[in-house]
Coordinates of all heavy atoms in Angstrom, one line a residue:
M1 N 2.2 39.6 -9.2 CA 2.1 38.2 -9.3 C 3.5 37.6 -9.0 O 3.6 36.5 -8.4 CB 1.7 37.7 -10.7 CG 1.5 36.3 -10.9 SD 0.4 35.9 -12.2 CE 1.3 34.6 -13.0
N2 N 4.6 38.3 -9.4 CA 5.9 37.8 -9.1 C 6.2 37.8 -7.6 O 6.9 36.9 -7.1 CB 7.0 38.7 -9.8 CG 7.2 38.2 -11.2 OD1 6.8 37.1 -11.6 ND2 7.7 39.1 -12.0
D3 N 5.5 38.8 -6.9 CA 5.7 38.8 -5.4 C 5.1 37.6 -4.8 O 5.6 37.0 -3.9 CB 5.1 40.1 -4.8 CG 5.9 41.3 -5.2 OD1 7.1 41.2 -5.5 OD2 5.3 42.4 -5.2
A4 N 3.9 37.2 -5.2 CA 3.2 36.0 -4.7 C 4.0 34.8 -5.0 O 4.1 33.9 -4.2 CB 1.8 35.9 -5.3
L5 N 4.6 34.7 -6.2 CA 5.4 33.5 -6.6 C 6.6 33.5 -5.8 O 7.0 32.4 -5.3 CB 5.7 33.6 -8.1 CG 6.4 32.4 -8.7 CD1 5.6 31.1 -8.4 CD2 6.6 32.6 -10.2
S6 N 7.3 34.6 -5.6 CA 8.5 34.6 -4.8 C 8.2 34.3 -3.3 O 9.0 33.6 -2.6 CB 9.3 35.9 -4.9 OG 8.5 37.0 -4.4
N7 N 7.1 34.7 -2.8 CA 6.7 34.4 -1.4 C 6.4 32.9 -1.3 O 6.8 32.3 -0.3 CB 5.4 35.2 -1.0 CG 5.7 36.6 -0.7 OD1 6.8 37.0 -0.5 ND2 4.6 37.4 -0.8
Q8 N 5.8 32.3 -2.3 CA 5.5 30.9 -2.3 C 6.8 30.1 -2.4 O 7.0 29.1 -1.7 CB 4.6 30.5 -3.4 CG 4.2 29.0 -3.4 CD 3.4 28.7 -2.1 OE1 2.5 29.5 -1.7 NE2 3.7 27.6 -1.5
D9 N 7.8 30.6 -3.2 CA 9.1 29.9 -3.3 C 9.8 30.0 -2.0 O 10.5 29.0 -1.5 CB 9.9 30.6 -4.4 CG 9.4 30.2 -5.8 OD1 8.7 29.2 -5.9 OD2 9.8 30.9 -6.7
A10 N 9.7 31.1 -1.3 CA 10.4 31.3 0.0 C 9.8 30.3 1.0 O 10.5 29.7 1.8 CB 10.3 32.7 0.5
I11 N 8.5 30.2 1.0 CA 7.8 29.3 1.9 C 8.2 27.8 1.6 O 8.5 27.1 2.5 CB 6.3 29.5 1.8 CG1 5.9 30.8 2.4 CG2 5.5 28.4 2.6 CD1 4.4 31.2 2.2
N12 N 8.2 27.5 0.3 CA 8.6 26.1 0.0 C 10.0 25.8 0.4 O 10.3 24.7 0.9 CB 8.5 25.9 -1.6 CG 7.0 25.9 -2.0 OD1 6.1 25.7 -1.2 ND2 6.8 26.0 -3.3
Q13 N 10.9 26.8 0.2 CA 12.3 26.5 0.6 C 12.4 26.4 2.1 O 13.2 25.6 2.7 CB 13.2 27.7 0.2 CG 13.4 27.7 -1.3 CD 14.2 28.9 -1.8 OE1 14.5 29.8 -1.0 NE2 14.5 28.9 -3.1
Q14 N 11.6 27.2 2.9 CA 11.6 27.1 4.3 C 11.1 25.7 4.8 O 11.7 25.1 5.7 CB 10.8 28.2 4.9 CG 10.9 28.4 6.4 CD 10.1 29.6 6.8 OE1 9.1 30.1 6.1 NE2 10.4 30.2 8.0
I15 N 10.1 25.2 4.1 CA 9.6 23.9 4.5 C 10.6 22.8 4.1 O 10.8 21.9 4.9 CB 8.2 23.6 3.7 CG1 7.1 24.5 4.3 CG2 7.8 22.2 3.8 CD1 5.9 24.5 3.5
E16 N 11.2 22.9 3.0 CA 12.2 21.9 2.6 C 13.4 21.9 3.4 O 14.1 20.8 3.6 CB 12.6 22.1 1.1 CG 11.5 21.8 0.1 CD 11.8 22.1 -1.3 OE1 12.9 22.6 -1.6 OE2 10.9 21.9 -2.2
R17 N 13.8 23.0 4.1 CA 14.9 23.0 5.0 C 14.6 22.5 6.4 O 15.4 22.3 7.2 CB 15.5 24.4 5.1 CG 16.2 24.9 3.9 CD 17.0 26.1 4.2 NE 16.1 27.2 4.5 CZ 15.7 28.2 3.6 NH1 16.2 28.2 2.4 NH2 14.9 29.2 4.0
N18 N 13.3 22.4 6.7 CA 12.8 22.0 8.0 C 13.2 20.5 8.3 O 12.8 19.6 7.5 CB 11.3 22.2 8.2 CG 10.8 22.1 9.6 OD1 11.4 21.3 10.4 ND2 9.8 22.8 9.9
P19 N 13.8 20.2 9.4 CA 14.1 18.8 9.7 C 12.9 17.9 9.9 O 12.9 16.7 9.6 CB 15.0 18.8 10.9 CG 15.1 20.2 11.3 CD 14.4 21.1 10.3
L20 N 11.8 18.5 10.4 CA 10.6 17.7 10.6 C 10.0 17.3 9.2 O 9.4 16.2 9.1 CB 9.6 18.6 11.4 CG 9.9 18.9 12.8 CD1 8.9 19.8 13.4 CD2 10.0 17.6 13.6
F21 N 10.1 18.1 8.2 CA 9.7 17.8 6.9 C 10.5 16.6 6.4 O 9.9 15.6 5.8 CB 9.9 19.0 5.9 CG 9.5 18.6 4.5 CD1 8.2 18.5 4.1 CD2 10.5 18.5 3.6 CE1 7.9 18.1 2.8 CE2 10.2 18.2 2.3 CZ 8.9 18.0 1.9
H22 N 11.8 16.6 6.6 CA 12.6 15.4 6.1 C 12.2 14.2 6.9 O 12.2 13.1 6.3 CB 14.1 15.8 6.3 CG 14.5 16.8 5.3 ND1 14.8 16.5 4.0 CD2 14.8 18.1 5.5 CE1 15.1 17.6 3.4 NE2 15.2 18.6 4.2
E23 N 11.9 14.3 8.2 CA 11.5 13.1 9.0 C 10.2 12.6 8.4 O 10.0 11.4 8.3 CB 11.4 13.5 10.4 CG 10.9 12.4 11.3 CD 10.7 12.8 12.8 OE1 11.1 13.9 13.1 OE2 10.2 12.0 13.5
L24 N 9.2 13.5 8.1 CA 7.9 13.1 7.6 C 8.1 12.4 6.2 O 7.5 11.3 6.0 CB 7.0 14.3 7.4 CG 5.7 14.1 6.8 CD1 4.8 13.2 7.7 CD2 5.0 15.4 6.4
V25 N 9.0 12.9 5.4 CA 9.2 12.2 4.1 C 9.8 10.9 4.3 O 9.4 9.9 3.6 CB 10.1 13.1 3.2 CG1 10.6 12.4 2.0 CG2 9.4 14.4 2.8
R26 N 10.8 10.7 5.2 CA 11.4 9.4 5.5 C 10.3 8.4 6.1 O 10.3 7.3 5.6 CB 12.5 9.6 6.5 CG 13.3 8.4 6.8 CD 14.4 8.6 7.9 NE 13.8 9.2 9.1 CZ 13.1 8.5 10.0 NH1 12.8 7.3 9.9 NH2 12.7 9.2 11.1
K27 N 9.5 8.9 7.0 CA 8.5 8.0 7.5 C 7.5 7.6 6.5 O 7.0 6.4 6.4 CB 7.7 8.7 8.7 CG 8.5 8.7 9.9 CD 7.7 9.4 11.1 CE 8.5 9.4 12.3 NZ 7.7 10.0 13.4
R28 N 7.1 8.5 5.6 CA 6.1 8.2 4.5 C 6.7 7.1 3.6 O 6.1 6.2 3.2 CB 5.7 9.4 3.8 CG 4.7 9.1 2.7 CD 4.4 10.4 1.9 NE 5.6 10.6 1.1 CZ 5.7 11.6 0.2 NH1 4.7 12.5 0.2 NH2 6.8 11.8 -0.5
Q29 N 8.0 7.3 3.3 CA 8.7 6.4 2.4 C 8.8 5.0 3.0 O 8.6 4.0 2.3 CB 10.1 6.9 2.0 CG 10.8 6.0 1.0 CD 10.0 5.9 -0.3 OE1 9.5 6.9 -0.8 NE2 10.0 4.8 -0.9
A30 N 9.1 5.0 4.3 CA 9.2 3.7 5.0 C 7.8 3.0 5.0 O 7.7 1.8 4.9 CB 9.7 3.9 6.4
F31 N 6.8 3.7 5.2 CA 5.4 3.2 5.3 C 5.0 2.6 3.9 O 4.5 1.5 3.8 CB 4.4 4.2 5.7 CG 3.0 3.8 5.8 CD1 2.6 2.8 6.7 CD2 2.0 4.3 5.0 CE1 1.3 2.3 6.8 CE2 0.7 3.8 5.0 CZ 0.4 2.9 6.0
A32 N 5.3 3.4 2.9 CA 5.0 2.9 1.5 C 5.8 1.7 1.2 O 5.3 0.8 0.5 CB 5.3 4.1 0.5
T33 N 7.1 1.6 1.6 CA 7.9 0.4 1.3 C 7.3 -0.8 2.1 O 7.3 -1.9 1.5 CB 9.4 0.7 1.7 OG1 9.8 1.8 1.0 CG2 10.2 -0.5 1.5
L34 N 6.9 -0.6 3.3 CA 6.4 -1.7 4.1 C 5.1 -2.2 3.4 O 4.9 -3.4 3.3 CB 6.0 -1.2 5.5 CG 5.3 -2.2 6.4 CD1 6.2 -3.4 6.7 CD2 4.9 -1.6 7.7
L35 N 4.2 -1.3 3.0 CA 3.0 -1.8 2.3 C 3.3 -2.5 1.0 O 2.6 -3.5 0.7 CB 2.0 -0.6 2.1 CG 1.2 -0.1 3.2 CD1 0.4 1.1 2.8 CD2 0.4 -1.1 3.9
S36 N 4.3 -2.0 0.3 CA 4.6 -2.6 -1.0 C 5.2 -4.0 -0.7 O 4.8 -5.0 -1.5 CB 5.7 -1.8 -1.7 OG 5.1 -0.6 -2.1
L37 N 6.0 -4.2 0.3 CA 6.5 -5.5 0.6 C 5.4 -6.5 1.1 O 5.4 -7.7 0.7 CB 7.6 -5.4 1.7 CG 8.9 -4.8 1.2 CD1 9.9 -4.6 2.4 CD2 9.6 -5.7 0.1
I38 N 4.5 -6.0 1.9 CA 3.4 -6.8 2.3 C 2.6 -7.3 1.1 O 2.2 -8.5 1.0 CB 2.5 -6.1 3.3 CG1 3.2 -5.9 4.7 CG2 1.2 -6.8 3.5 CD1 2.5 -5.0 5.7
M39 N 2.3 -6.4 0.2 CA 1.5 -6.8 -1.0 C 2.3 -7.8 -1.8 O 1.7 -8.7 -2.4 CB 1.1 -5.5 -1.8 CG 0.0 -4.7 -1.1 SD -1.4 -5.6 -0.5 CE -1.9 -6.5 -2.0
L40 N 3.6 -7.6 -2.0 CA 4.4 -8.5 -2.8 C 4.3 -9.9 -2.1 O 4.1 -10.9 -2.9 CB 5.8 -8.0 -2.8 CG 6.8 -8.9 -3.6 CD1 6.4 -8.9 -5.1 CD2 8.2 -8.4 -3.5
V41 N 4.5 -10.0 -0.8 CA 4.4 -11.3 -0.2 C 3.1 -11.9 -0.3 O 3.0 -13.1 -0.6 CB 4.8 -11.1 1.3 CG1 4.5 -12.4 2.1 CG2 6.3 -10.8 1.5
L42 N 2.0 -11.2 -0.1 CA 0.7 -11.7 -0.3 C 0.4 -12.2 -1.7 O -0.1 -13.3 -2.0 CB -0.4 -10.7 0.1 CG -0.5 -10.4 1.6 CD1 -1.5 -9.2 1.8 CD2 -1.0 -11.6 2.3
Y43 N 0.8 -11.4 -2.7 CA 0.6 -11.7 -4.1 C 1.4 -13.0 -4.5 O 0.8 -13.9 -5.1 CB 0.9 -10.5 -5.0 CG 0.8 -10.8 -6.5 CD1 -0.5 -10.9 -7.0 CD2 1.9 -11.1 -7.2 CE1 -0.6 -11.2 -8.4 CE2 1.8 -11.4 -8.6 CZ 0.5 -11.4 -9.2 OH 0.4 -11.7 -10.5
V44 N 2.7 -13.0 -4.2 CA 3.5 -14.1 -4.5 C 3.0 -15.4 -3.8 O 2.9 -16.5 -4.4 CB 5.0 -13.8 -4.3 CG1 5.8 -15.1 -4.4 CG2 5.5 -12.7 -5.2
G45 N 2.6 -15.2 -2.6 CA 2.1 -16.4 -1.8 C 0.8 -16.9 -2.4 O 0.7 -18.2 -2.6
F46 N -0.1 -16.1 -2.8 CA -1.3 -16.5 -3.5 C -1.0 -17.2 -4.8 O -1.6 -18.3 -5.1 CB -2.3 -15.3 -3.7 CG -3.6 -15.7 -4.2 CD1 -4.4 -16.6 -3.5 CD2 -4.0 -15.3 -5.4 CE1 -5.7 -16.9 -4.0 CE2 -5.3 -15.6 -5.9 CZ -6.1 -16.5 -5.2
I47 N -0.1 -16.6 -5.6 CA 0.2 -17.2 -6.9 C 0.9 -18.6 -6.7 O 0.6 -19.6 -7.4 CB 1.2 -16.3 -7.7 CG1 0.4 -15.0 -8.1 CG2 1.7 -17.0 -8.9 CD1 -0.8 -15.2 -8.9
L48 N 1.8 -18.7 -5.7 CA 2.4 -20.0 -5.4 C 1.4 -21.0 -4.9 O 1.5 -22.2 -5.2 CB 3.5 -19.8 -4.4 CG 4.8 -19.1 -4.9 CD1 5.7 -18.8 -3.7 CD2 5.5 -19.9 -6.0
L49 N 0.4 -20.6 -4.1 CA -0.6 -21.5 -3.7 C -1.4 -22.0 -4.9 O -1.8 -23.2 -4.9 CB -1.5 -20.7 -2.7 CG -2.6 -21.5 -1.9 CD1 -1.9 -22.6 -1.1 CD2 -3.4 -20.6 -1.1
I50 N -1.7 -21.1 -5.8 CA -2.5 -21.5 -7.0 C -1.6 -22.5 -7.8 O -2.1 -23.5 -8.3 CB -2.8 -20.3 -7.9 CG1 -3.9 -19.5 -7.2 CG2 -3.3 -20.7 -9.2 CD1 -4.1 -18.1 -7.8
A51 N -0.3 -22.3 -7.9 CA 0.5 -23.1 -8.7 C 0.8 -24.5 -8.1 O 0.8 -25.5 -8.8 CB 1.9 -22.4 -9.0
F52 N 1.0 -24.5 -6.8 CA 1.5 -25.8 -6.2 C 0.4 -26.5 -5.4 O 0.6 -27.6 -4.9 CB 2.7 -25.5 -5.3 CG 3.9 -25.1 -6.1 CD1 4.4 -23.8 -6.0 CD2 4.5 -25.9 -7.0 CE1 5.4 -23.4 -6.8 CE2 5.6 -25.5 -7.8 CZ 6.0 -24.2 -7.7
A53 N -0.7 -25.9 -5.1 CA -1.8 -26.6 -4.3 C -3.2 -26.3 -4.9 O -4.1 -25.9 -4.2 CB -1.7 -26.1 -2.9
P54 N -3.4 -26.5 -6.2 CA -4.7 -26.2 -6.8 C -5.8 -27.2 -6.2 O -6.9 -26.8 -6.1 CB -4.5 -26.4 -8.3 CG -3.3 -27.3 -8.4 CD -2.5 -27.0 -7.2
G55 N -5.4 -28.4 -5.9 CA -6.3 -29.3 -5.3 C -6.8 -28.9 -3.9 O -8.0 -29.0 -3.6
W56 N -5.9 -28.3 -3.1 CA -6.3 -27.8 -1.8 C -7.3 -26.6 -2.0 O -8.3 -26.5 -1.2 CB -5.1 -27.4 -1.0 CG -5.4 -27.0 0.4 CD1 -5.6 -27.8 1.4 CD2 -5.6 -25.6 0.8 NE1 -5.9 -27.0 2.5 CE2 -5.9 -25.7 2.2 CE3 -5.5 -24.4 0.2 CZ2 -6.2 -24.6 3.0 CZ3 -5.8 -23.3 1.0 CH2 -6.1 -23.4 2.4
L57 N -7.0 -25.8 -2.9 CA -7.9 -24.6 -3.1 C -9.3 -25.0 -3.7 O -10.3 -24.4 -3.4 CB -7.3 -23.6 -4.1 CG -6.2 -22.7 -3.6 CD1 -5.5 -22.0 -4.7 CD2 -6.7 -21.8 -2.5
G58 N -9.3 -26.2 -4.4 CA -10.5 -26.6 -5.0 C -11.4 -27.5 -4.0 O -12.5 -27.9 -4.4
T59 N -10.9 -27.7 -2.8 CA -11.6 -28.5 -1.9 C -12.8 -27.7 -1.3 O -12.7 -26.5 -0.9 CB -10.7 -28.9 -0.7 OG1 -9.6 -29.6 -1.2 CG2 -11.4 -29.8 0.3
P60 N -14.0 -28.3 -1.3 CA -15.2 -27.6 -0.8 C -15.0 -27.2 0.7 O -14.3 -27.9 1.4 CB -16.4 -28.6 -1.0 CG -15.9 -29.5 -2.0 CD -14.4 -29.6 -1.9
L61 N -15.6 -26.1 1.1 CA -15.5 -25.7 2.5 C -16.2 -26.7 3.4 O -15.7 -26.9 4.5 CB -16.1 -24.3 2.7 CG -15.3 -23.1 2.1 CD1 -16.1 -21.8 2.2 CD2 -14.0 -23.0 2.8
H62 N -17.3 -27.2 3.0 CA -18.0 -28.3 3.8 C -18.8 -29.1 2.8 O -19.0 -28.7 1.7 CB -18.8 -27.8 4.9 CG -19.8 -26.7 4.5 ND1 -21.0 -27.0 4.0 CD2 -19.8 -25.4 4.6 CE1 -21.7 -25.9 3.8 NE2 -21.0 -24.9 4.1
A63 N -19.2 -30.3 3.3 CA -19.9 -31.2 2.4 C -21.3 -30.6 1.9 O -21.9 -29.9 2.6 CB -20.3 -32.5 3.2
G64 N -21.5 -30.8 0.6 CA -22.8 -30.4 0.0 C -22.8 -29.0 -0.5 O -23.8 -28.4 -0.8
T65 N -21.6 -28.4 -0.6 CA -21.6 -27.0 -1.1 C -20.6 -26.9 -2.3 O -19.7 -27.8 -2.5 CB -21.1 -26.0 0.0 OG1 -21.2 -24.7 -0.6 CG2 -19.7 -26.3 0.4
N66 N -20.8 -26.0 -3.2 CA -19.9 -25.8 -4.3 C -18.9 -24.7 -4.0 O -18.0 -24.4 -4.8 CB -20.7 -25.3 -5.5 CG -21.6 -26.5 -6.1 OD1 -21.2 -27.7 -5.9 ND2 -22.7 -26.2 -6.7
V67 N -19.0 -24.1 -2.8 CA -18.0 -23.1 -2.4 C -16.7 -23.7 -2.0 O -16.7 -24.5 -1.0 CB -18.6 -22.2 -1.3 CG1 -17.6 -21.1 -0.9 CG2 -19.9 -21.5 -1.8
T68 N -15.7 -23.4 -2.7 CA -14.4 -24.0 -2.3 C -13.5 -23.1 -1.5 O -13.8 -21.9 -1.4 CB -13.6 -24.4 -3.6 OG1 -13.3 -23.2 -4.3 CG2 -14.4 -25.3 -4.5
R69 N -12.4 -23.6 -1.0 CA -11.5 -22.7 -0.2 C -10.9 -21.6 -1.0 O -10.6 -20.5 -0.5 CB -10.3 -23.6 0.3 CG -10.7 -24.6 1.3 CD -9.5 -25.4 1.6 NE -9.8 -26.4 2.6 CZ -9.1 -27.5 2.9 NH1 -8.0 -27.7 2.2 NH2 -9.5 -28.3 3.8
G70 N -10.8 -21.8 -2.3 CA -10.2 -20.7 -3.2 C -11.1 -19.5 -3.3 O -10.5 -18.4 -3.5
I71 N -12.4 -19.6 -3.2 CA -13.3 -18.4 -3.3 C -13.0 -17.4 -2.2 O -12.7 -16.2 -2.5 CB -14.7 -18.9 -3.4 CG1 -14.9 -19.6 -4.7 CG2 -15.7 -17.7 -3.3 CD1 -16.3 -20.3 -4.9
P72 N -13.1 -17.8 -0.9 CA -12.9 -16.8 0.1 C -11.4 -16.3 0.1 O -11.1 -15.1 0.4 CB -13.3 -17.4 1.4 CG -13.3 -18.9 1.1 CD -13.6 -19.0 -0.3
I73 N -10.5 -17.2 -0.2 CA -9.1 -16.8 -0.2 C -8.8 -15.8 -1.3 O -8.1 -14.8 -1.1 CB -8.1 -18.0 -0.3 CG1 -8.2 -18.8 1.0 CG2 -6.7 -17.6 -0.5 CD1 -7.5 -20.2 1.0
G74 N -9.3 -16.1 -2.5 CA -9.2 -15.2 -3.6 C -9.9 -13.8 -3.3 O -9.3 -12.8 -3.7
G75 N -11.0 -13.9 -2.7 CA -11.8 -12.6 -2.4 C -11.0 -11.8 -1.4 O -10.9 -10.6 -1.5
R76 N -10.4 -12.5 -0.4 CA -9.6 -11.8 0.6 C -8.4 -11.2 -0.1 O -8.0 -10.1 0.3 CB -9.2 -12.7 1.7 CG -8.3 -12.2 2.7 CD -9.0 -11.0 3.4 NE -8.0 -10.2 4.2 CZ -8.0 -10.2 5.5 NH1 -8.9 -10.9 6.2 NH2 -7.1 -9.5 6.1
A77 N -7.7 -11.9 -1.0 CA -6.6 -11.4 -1.7 C -6.9 -10.1 -2.5 O -6.2 -9.1 -2.4 CB -6.0 -12.4 -2.6
D78 N -8.1 -10.1 -3.2 CA -8.5 -9.0 -3.9 C -8.8 -7.8 -3.0 O -8.4 -6.6 -3.2 CB -9.8 -9.3 -4.7 CG -9.5 -10.2 -5.9 OD1 -8.4 -10.4 -6.3 OD2 -10.5 -10.8 -6.4
C79 N -9.4 -8.1 -1.8 CA -9.7 -7.0 -0.9 C -8.4 -6.4 -0.3 O -8.3 -5.2 -0.1 CB -10.6 -7.6 0.3 SG -11.0 -6.4 1.5
D80 N -7.4 -7.3 0.0 CA -6.1 -6.8 0.5 C -5.5 -5.9 -0.5 O -4.9 -4.9 -0.1 CB -5.2 -8.0 0.8 CG -5.7 -8.8 2.1 OD1 -6.5 -8.2 2.8 OD2 -5.2 -9.9 2.2
V81 N -5.5 -6.2 -1.8 CA -4.9 -5.4 -2.8 C -5.6 -4.0 -2.8 O -4.9 -3.0 -2.8 CB -5.0 -6.1 -4.2 CG1 -4.6 -5.1 -5.3 CG2 -4.1 -7.3 -4.2
V82 N -6.9 -4.0 -2.8 CA -7.6 -2.7 -2.9 C -7.3 -1.9 -1.7 O -7.0 -0.7 -1.8 CB -9.1 -3.0 -3.1 CG1 -9.9 -1.7 -2.9 CG2 -9.4 -3.6 -4.4
C83 N -7.4 -2.5 -0.5 CA -7.1 -1.7 0.7 C -5.7 -1.2 0.8 O -5.5 -0.1 1.2 CB -7.4 -2.6 1.9 SG -9.2 -3.0 2.1
A84 N -4.7 -2.0 0.5 CA -3.3 -1.6 0.5 C -3.1 -0.5 -0.5 O -2.4 0.5 -0.2 CB -2.4 -2.8 0.3
D85 N -3.6 -0.6 -1.7 CA -3.5 0.4 -2.7 C -4.1 1.8 -2.2 O -3.5 2.8 -2.4 CB -4.1 0.0 -4.0 CG -3.3 -1.0 -4.8 OD1 -2.2 -1.3 -4.4 OD2 -3.9 -1.6 -5.7
W86 N -5.2 1.7 -1.6 CA -5.9 2.9 -1.1 C -5.0 3.5 0.0 O -4.8 4.7 0.0 CB -7.2 2.5 -0.5 CG -8.0 3.6 0.1 CD1 -8.5 4.7 -0.5 CD2 -8.3 3.7 1.5 NE1 -9.2 5.5 0.4 CE2 -9.0 4.9 1.7 CE3 -8.0 3.0 2.6 CZ2 -9.4 5.4 2.9 CZ3 -8.4 3.4 3.8 CH2 -9.1 4.6 4.0
R87 N -4.5 2.7 0.9 CA -3.6 3.2 2.0 C -2.4 3.8 1.4 O -1.9 4.9 1.9 CB -3.3 2.1 3.0 CG -4.4 1.6 3.9 CD -4.9 2.6 4.9 NE -3.8 3.1 5.7 CZ -3.6 2.9 6.9 NH1 -4.4 2.1 7.6 NH2 -2.6 3.4 7.6
L88 N -1.8 3.2 0.4 CA -0.6 3.7 -0.2 C -0.8 5.0 -0.9 O 0.0 6.0 -0.8 CB 0.0 2.7 -1.1 CG 1.4 2.9 -1.7 CD1 2.4 3.1 -0.6 CD2 1.8 1.8 -2.6
C89 N -2.0 5.1 -1.5 CA -2.3 6.4 -2.2 C -2.5 7.5 -1.2 O -2.0 8.6 -1.3 CB -3.6 6.3 -3.0 SG -3.3 5.3 -4.5
L90 N -3.2 7.2 -0.1 CA -3.3 8.2 1.0 C -2.0 8.6 1.6 O -1.8 9.8 1.9 CB -4.2 7.6 2.1 CG -5.7 7.5 1.8 CD1 -6.5 6.9 3.0 CD2 -6.3 8.9 1.5
A91 N -1.1 7.7 1.8 CA 0.2 8.0 2.4 C 1.0 8.8 1.4 O 1.7 9.7 1.9 CB 1.0 6.7 2.7
C92 N 0.9 8.6 0.2 CA 1.7 9.4 -0.8 C 1.1 10.8 -1.0 O 1.8 11.7 -1.4 CB 1.8 8.7 -2.1 SG 2.8 7.2 -2.0
Q93 N -0.2 11.0 -0.7 CA -0.7 12.3 -0.9 C -0.4 13.3 0.3 O -0.5 14.5 0.2 CB -2.3 12.2 -1.0 CG -2.7 11.6 -2.3 CD -4.2 11.5 -2.4 OE1 -4.9 11.7 -1.5 NE2 -4.7 11.0 -3.6
R94 N -0.1 12.7 1.4 CA 0.2 13.5 2.6 C 1.6 14.1 2.6 O 2.5 13.7 2.0 CB 0.0 12.7 3.9 CG -1.5 12.3 4.0 CD -1.7 11.6 5.3 NE -3.1 11.2 5.3 CZ -3.5 10.4 6.2 NH1 -2.8 9.8 7.1 NH2 -4.8 10.1 6.2

């Protein structure tokens, strides 16, 4: 069992010394940072829209409907959060 463990340690060290591995880690970190910044901008933008333009969000999409602008915008914001979280999880697992 020690031989298998030492072989695995040797393989891990070989991978960690590889410049391509370091490039992959750097690219993954850059991608995760980009997604985090995008989500931060979307979230803060949505919160600011709620805070400073609630009347605009409450305006019906067209006459005779109860569906307001806030419903599709809020739904899209929720979808963006789920999709970005999913992508970020996938990026961190690789």
Side-chain angles (χ1 to χ4, degrees):
M1 184 155 134
N2 278 340
D3 290 336
L5 187 57
S6 63
N7 285 340
Q8 187 62 44
D9 287 341
I11 291 170
N12 288 346
Q13 288 175 358
Q14 193 175 20
I15 290 170
E16 289 174 2
R17 284 192 300 259
N18 190 331
L20 293 175
F21 175 74
H22 290 285
E23 180 183 349
L24 177 65
V25 169
R26 184 185 52 78
K27 285 181 178 182
R28 184 186 70 182
Q29 185 62 41
F31 181 66
T33 302
L34 175 66
L35 282 180
S36 296
L37 289 173
I38 289 171
M39 287 312 305
L40 180 66
V41 167
L42 288 173
Y43 177 75
V44 170
F46 185 63
I47 295 301
L48 289 173
L49 189 61
I50 291 170
F52 295 111
W56 184 82
L57 283 173
T59 304
L61 286 175
H62 53 81
T65 184
N66 291 333
V67 179
T68 64
R69 291 177 180 160
I71 293 172
I73 291 173
R76 176 60 194 250
D78 290 343
C79 182
D80 288 343
V81 167
V82 170
C83 291
D85 286 346
W86 176 71
R87 292 289 307 252
L88 189 57
C89 288
L90 286 179
C92 290
Q93 288 177 355
R94 292 181 184 172

